[in-house]
Structure formats: structure tokens, C-alpha cells
Amino acid sequence: MSGVIEAKIAQRVLSDLPSVEALGEQVPYNCPDCGGVLWKVADGDLLRYRCHTGHAFTSSVLLAQQTVKIEETLWVALRMFEERQNLLETMSNNESRKPPSSVAQRARDSQVHIDRIRAMLKATDRELHGL
């Protein structure tokens, strides 16, 4: 019966909450594809996760997808911190006739965050590529 329900969910024919809840236990994880809540579906020894929109994952695929999303988020954060640092430096340079400001200090402090994010990205890269 659960196979039929899952097939209908995957085909987007069925996505009501009672049907999804009949598949298994709701877990405190979110779908890496759509951000929806996941349900744990036991299928013998195989443990799977499914959201109400039809995305489905084994435990190992869910972990891999989470890692990919973390890496994407870190790249966005790195780009934003670098842009912020560049803007702060530009603002500081425009104030060059004035005494050193907190803007210049904030630009220098941004480097700490940039370095931390780069270190996390290197660690994530090693995890993804088995280095």
C-alpha cells in the first residue's frame, strides 16, 4: 500500500498531509531540494526519506545532498562577505582625508569571516572528493 501512495506522491497526483503521514514518521530534517518537511519511510533494512512534494532520498543520498547545499550556501556567504569588504574599503578610501574610521576597521575585520568560510569550503571540498 505504501508503494502505491509513494508512486502517487512522486507523480504529483497525491500530496495531502494525511497520505504522507501514513508513510512513516515525520523527522526534524528538511528536504534539500524544496525545503519541505521529511518523513522517514522504513522499507525493510533500507531507510528512506520523502517529502510531500515527491522528493525521495536514501540516508546516504540525503547526507550528500545536505553537503552540496551547505557548500552552495558557503560560496554565497563568501561572495557576500568579499563584496561587503570591497564596499567597506571603497567607503573607507572615500574618507581618506578623515581620521581612520570604523568603516576601515570593519573592512579589515571582514577578512576573519572570509578566512573562516574559505577554511570550511576547503574542508567540505575534501569531504565531497574524499581528499
Side-chain angles (χ1 to χ4, degrees):
M1 179 67 171
S2 71
V4 173
I5 294 172
E6 284 192 79
K8 287 183 178 182
I9 291 170
Q11 295 170 353
R12 308 269 197 258
V13 174
L14 183 67
S15 66
D16 63 294
L17 197 56
S19 297
V20 179
E21 286 181 341
L23 293 175
E25 171 188 348
Q26 187 175 341
V27 293
Y29 316 129
N30 291 76
C31 176
D33 290 342
C34 69
V37 176
L38 290 174
W39 279 264
K40 180 171 58 174
V41 180
D43 188 8
D45 289 339
L46 182 64
L47 189 57
R48 294 179 297 112
Y49 299 90
R50 177 175 288 285
C51 72
H52 75 283
T53 62
H55 301 120
F57 310 90
T58 62
S59 296
S60 59
V61 171
L62 178 59
L63 183 61
Q65 284 296 100
Q66 286 177 338
T67 303
V68 167
K69 291 298 181 180
I70 289 168
E71 183 178 19
E72 289 173 3
T73 302
L74 287 172
W75 278 112
V76 169
L78 178 62
R79 179 186 51 80
M80 292 179 73
F81 267 109
E82 287 174 337
E83 288 177 8
R84 183 174 190 270
Q85 182 182 44
N86 291 336
L87 177 59
L88 288 166
E89 287 172 355
T90 299
M91 291 169 62
S92 176
N93 291 339
N94 288 341
E95 298 176 355
S96 61
R97 293 174 293 247
K98 300 177 186 175
S101 70
S102 66
V103 174
Q105 183 59 47
R106 287 169 44 205
R108 289 188 296 275
D109 291 345
S110 293
Q111 191 62 47
V112 172
H113 301 296
I114 290 168
D115 292 342
R116 287 180 181 159
I117 293 170
R118 281 190 193 282
M120 286 187 276
L121 281 165
K122 285 180 183 176
T124 302
D125 190 50
R126 284 191 299 271
E127 179 182 333
L128 282 174
H129 302 291
L131 302 174

